[in-house]
Amino acid sequence: MALQCDIVTPVSKLFSGEIEFVVLPAAEGEMGIYEKHDPIVTTLNAGTVRVTEEPSAEAVTYFVAGGYAEIDTEHVIILADRAQAAAEVDVEAAQKTLSDLKERLAESADDDTQKPFLTSEIEWYSLLVGEN
């Protein structure tokens, strides 16, 4: 029997399938999950989720920007605030966006109401391009 894994955001389901192993960026630190894991609900930090679908297969990486994971003996449900498959990242475009966001933040006034949004976007794009 394998472990059922779902990676879901508010706008899409990125992955659903049987897996061998998954590594999560849990608030407590990186957490590796095999089937028959004790049930737990944990918050997720921004980071990478690595899904191994078959024994000795290479892991598939997804970037997540926080959220929750619900784990039981047969299921892992990752409810991410935001997520993207690493293989789908256009690094050049993400680097340009990151540069633009940093410039906008540097030019913003101290009381600019967009600062929290800009900071959040900078954290996301930094994760996508490996600057975290």
Side-chain angles (χ1 to χ4, degrees):
M1 178 185 345
L3 186 63
Q4 175 66 36
C5 180
D6 295 294
I7 302 174
V8 182
T9 70
V11 295
S12 67
K13 182 182 280 192
L14 271 72
F15 178 83
S16 182
E18 290 189 349
I19 64 166
E20 180 72 20
F21 181 67
V22 62
V23 178
L24 311 170
E28 302 84 9
E30 257 193 355
M31 181 183 291
I33 309 295
Y34 284 102
E35 71 176 318
K36 299 183 181 174
H37 193 283
D38 287 338
I40 187 172
V41 174
T42 185
T43 56
L44 299 175
N45 290 329
T48 59
V49 171
R50 296 183 309 279
V51 176
T52 304
E53 294 185 59
E54 297 178 18
S56 69
E58 189 171 324
V60 178
T61 301
Y62 297 86
F63 295 111
V64 296
Y68 297 88
E70 181 179 354
I71 298 139
D72 67 28
T73 59
E74 299 175 0
H75 301 91
V76 175
I77 302 171
I78 298 167
L79 305 168
D81 297 335
R82 191 173 189 177
Q84 185 170 353
E88 296 175 5
V89 174
D90 179 340
V91 176
E92 188 175 309
Q95 286 173 329
K96 168 112 176 64
T97 301
L98 179 60
S99 177
D100 293 346
L101 289 165
K102 286 179 177 180
E103 186 176 315
R104 283 180 56 196
L105 182 62
E107 294 172 353
S108 65
D110 289 341
D111 62 348
D112 189 336
T113 59
Q114 288 293 307
K115 274 193 165 186
F117 169 76
L118 292 171
T119 301
S120 174
E121 289 293 286
I122 288 169
E123 290 172 2
W124 173 248
Y125 283 96
S126 293
L127 178 64
L128 294 181
V129 301
E131 286 188 15
N132 54 350

PDB file of all heavy atoms in Angstrom, residues 1 10 34 38 71 90 94 108-109 114-115 119 123 130:
ATOM      1  N   MET A   1       0.835  -1.169   0.000  1.00  0.00           N
ATOM      2  CA  MET A   1       0.000   0.000   0.000  1.00  0.00           C
ATOM      3  C   MET A   1       0.886   1.240   0.000  1.00  0.00           C
ATOM      4  O   MET A   1       1.902   1.293   0.659  1.00  0.00           O
ATOM      5  CB  MET A   1      -0.892   0.013   1.243  1.00  0.00           C
ATOM      6  CG  MET A   1      -1.731   1.234   1.268  1.00  0.00           C
ATOM      7  SD  MET A   1      -2.780   1.618   2.660  1.00  0.00           S
ATOM      8  CE  MET A   1      -2.976   0.259   3.662  1.00  0.00           C
ATOM      9  N   PRO A  10      -5.443  27.477  -3.055  1.00  0.00           N
ATOM     10  CA  PRO A  10      -6.814  27.997  -3.195  1.00  0.00           C
ATOM     11  C   PRO A  10      -7.314  28.005  -4.637  1.00  0.00           C
ATOM     12  O   PRO A  10      -8.512  28.046  -4.866  1.00  0.00           O
ATOM     13  CB  PRO A  10      -6.711  29.424  -2.651  1.00  0.00           C
ATOM     14  CG  PRO A  10      -5.578  29.370  -1.686  1.00  0.00           C
ATOM     15  CD  PRO A  10      -4.591  28.400  -2.300  1.00  0.00           C
ATOM     16  N   TYR A  34       6.487   8.854   5.543  1.00  0.00           N
ATOM     17  CA  TYR A  34       6.200   7.578   4.882  1.00  0.00           C
ATOM     18  C   TYR A  34       4.791   7.171   5.276  1.00  0.00           C
ATOM     19  O   TYR A  34       4.191   7.731   6.196  1.00  0.00           O
ATOM     20  CB  TYR A  34       7.160   6.488   5.368  1.00  0.00           C
ATOM     21  CG  TYR A  34       8.556   6.561   4.814  1.00  0.00           C
ATOM     22  CD1 TYR A  34       9.600   7.081   5.568  1.00  0.00           C
ATOM     23  CD2 TYR A  34       8.836   6.078   3.531  1.00  0.00           C
ATOM     24  CE1 TYR A  34      10.896   7.126   5.057  1.00  0.00           C
ATOM     25  CE2 TYR A  34      10.129   6.125   3.017  1.00  0.00           C
ATOM     26  CZ  TYR A  34      11.145   6.641   3.794  1.00  0.00           C
ATOM     27  OH  TYR A  34      12.424   6.695   3.289  1.00  0.00           O
ATOM     28  N   ASP A  38       2.289   8.631  12.132  1.00  0.00           N
ATOM     29  CA  ASP A  38       1.314   9.056  13.141  1.00  0.00           C
ATOM     30  C   ASP A  38       0.560  10.283  12.637  1.00  0.00           C
ATOM     31  O   ASP A  38       1.154  11.170  12.021  1.00  0.00           O
ATOM     32  CB  ASP A  38       2.012   9.409  14.459  1.00  0.00           C
ATOM     33  CG  ASP A  38       2.517   8.184  15.195  1.00  0.00           C
ATOM     34  OD1 ASP A  38       1.997   7.072  14.941  1.00  0.00           O
ATOM     35  OD2 ASP A  38       3.425   8.334  16.030  1.00  0.00           O
ATOM     36  N   ILE A  71      -1.666  15.034   8.004  1.00  0.00           N
ATOM     37  CA  ILE A  71      -1.029  13.744   7.756  1.00  0.00           C
ATOM     38  C   ILE A  71      -1.726  12.680   8.593  1.00  0.00           C
ATOM     39  O   ILE A  71      -2.014  12.900   9.771  1.00  0.00           O
ATOM     40  CB  ILE A  71       0.468  13.815   8.142  1.00  0.00           C
ATOM     41  CG1 ILE A  71       1.180  14.853   7.273  1.00  0.00           C
ATOM     42  CG2 ILE A  71       1.137  12.457   8.015  1.00  0.00           C
ATOM     43  CD1 ILE A  71       2.167  15.690   8.008  1.00  0.00           C
ATOM     44  N   ASP A  90       9.991  29.692 -14.558  1.00  0.00           N
ATOM     45  CA  ASP A  90      10.812  30.411 -15.540  1.00  0.00           C
ATOM     46  C   ASP A  90      11.753  31.282 -14.717  1.00  0.00           C
ATOM     47  O   ASP A  90      11.384  32.370 -14.270  1.00  0.00           O
ATOM     48  CB  ASP A  90       9.924  31.246 -16.456  1.00  0.00           C
ATOM     49  CG  ASP A  90      10.692  32.042 -17.491  1.00  0.00           C
ATOM     50  OD1 ASP A  90      11.915  32.281 -17.308  1.00  0.00           O
ATOM     51  OD2 ASP A  90      10.072  32.463 -18.484  1.00  0.00           O
ATOM     52  N   ALA A  94      11.327  35.076 -13.291  1.00  0.00           N
ATOM     53  CA  ALA A  94      11.208  35.242 -11.842  1.00  0.00           C
ATOM     54  C   ALA A  94      12.288  36.187 -11.315  1.00  0.00           C
ATOM     55  O   ALA A  94      12.019  37.015 -10.434  1.00  0.00           O
ATOM     56  CB  ALA A  94      11.289  33.891 -11.144  1.00  0.00           C
ATOM     57  N   SER A 108       9.596  52.837  -2.164  1.00  0.00           N
ATOM     58  CA  SER A 108       8.323  53.088  -1.485  1.00  0.00           C
ATOM     59  C   SER A 108       8.537  53.910  -0.209  1.00  0.00           C
ATOM     60  O   SER A 108       9.581  53.842   0.441  1.00  0.00           O
ATOM     61  CB  SER A 108       7.610  51.776  -1.156  1.00  0.00           C
ATOM     62  OG  SER A 108       8.357  51.027  -0.229  1.00  0.00           O
ATOM     63  N   ALA A 109       7.528  54.671   0.130  1.00  0.00           N
ATOM     64  CA  ALA A 109       7.563  55.475   1.352  1.00  0.00           C
ATOM     65  C   ALA A 109       7.388  54.567   2.564  1.00  0.00           C
ATOM     66  O   ALA A 109       6.859  53.449   2.456  1.00  0.00           O
ATOM     67  CB  ALA A 109       6.446  56.515   1.314  1.00  0.00           C
ATOM     68  N   GLN A 114       1.462  49.254   0.441  1.00  0.00           N
ATOM     69  CA  GLN A 114       1.845  48.131  -0.413  1.00  0.00           C
ATOM     70  C   GLN A 114       3.070  47.375   0.116  1.00  0.00           C
ATOM     71  O   GLN A 114       3.412  46.321  -0.408  1.00  0.00           O
ATOM     72  CB  GLN A 114       2.132  48.631  -1.832  1.00  0.00           C
ATOM     73  CG  GLN A 114       0.893  49.040  -2.587  1.00  0.00           C
ATOM     74  CD  GLN A 114       0.000  47.844  -2.872  1.00  0.00           C
ATOM     75  OE1 GLN A 114       0.442  46.836  -3.416  1.00  0.00           O
ATOM     76  NE2 GLN A 114      -1.251  47.934  -2.497  1.00  0.00           N
ATOM     77  N   LYS A 115       3.741  47.920   1.140  1.00  0.00           N
ATOM     78  CA  LYS A 115       4.973  47.288   1.643  1.00  0.00           C
ATOM     79  C   LYS A 115       4.773  45.824   2.057  1.00  0.00           C
ATOM     80  O   LYS A 115       5.591  44.981   1.692  1.00  0.00           O
ATOM     81  CB  LYS A 115       5.572  48.101   2.788  1.00  0.00           C
ATOM     82  CG  LYS A 115       6.476  49.189   2.312  1.00  0.00           C
ATOM     83  CD  LYS A 115       7.283  49.761   3.442  1.00  0.00           C
ATOM     84  CE  LYS A 115       8.406  50.578   2.843  1.00  0.00           C
ATOM     85  NZ  LYS A 115       9.327  51.060   3.824  1.00  0.00           N
ATOM     86  N   THR A 119       6.793  42.857   0.208  1.00  0.00           N
ATOM     87  CA  THR A 119       7.670  41.986   0.995  1.00  0.00           C
ATOM     88  C   THR A 119       7.296  40.519   0.791  1.00  0.00           C
ATOM     89  O   THR A 119       8.165  39.665   0.601  1.00  0.00           O
ATOM     90  CB  THR A 119       7.605  42.363   2.482  1.00  0.00           C
ATOM     91  OG1 THR A 119       8.011  43.733   2.614  1.00  0.00           O
ATOM     92  CG2 THR A 119       8.510  41.484   3.313  1.00  0.00           C
ATOM     93  N   GLU A 123       9.610  37.602  -0.977  1.00  0.00           N
ATOM     94  CA  GLU A 123       9.899  36.302  -0.354  1.00  0.00           C
ATOM     95  C   GLU A 123       9.561  35.156  -1.305  1.00  0.00           C
ATOM     96  O   GLU A 123      10.320  34.196  -1.422  1.00  0.00           O
ATOM     97  CB  GLU A 123       9.117  36.168   0.952  1.00  0.00           C
ATOM     98  CG  GLU A 123       9.620  37.066   2.049  1.00  0.00           C
ATOM     99  CD  GLU A 123       8.722  37.065   3.281  1.00  0.00           C
ATOM    100  OE1 GLU A 123       7.697  36.321   3.307  1.00  0.00           O
ATOM    101  OE2 GLU A 123       9.017  37.825   4.209  1.00  0.00           O
ATOM    102  N   GLY A 130      15.899  30.732  -5.747  1.00  0.00           N
ATOM    103  CA  GLY A 130      16.921  30.165  -4.869  1.00  0.00           C
ATOM    104  C   GLY A 130      17.689  31.178  -4.058  1.00  0.00           C
ATOM    105  O   GLY A 130      18.817  30.913  -3.654  1.00  0.00           O
TER     106      GLY A 130
END
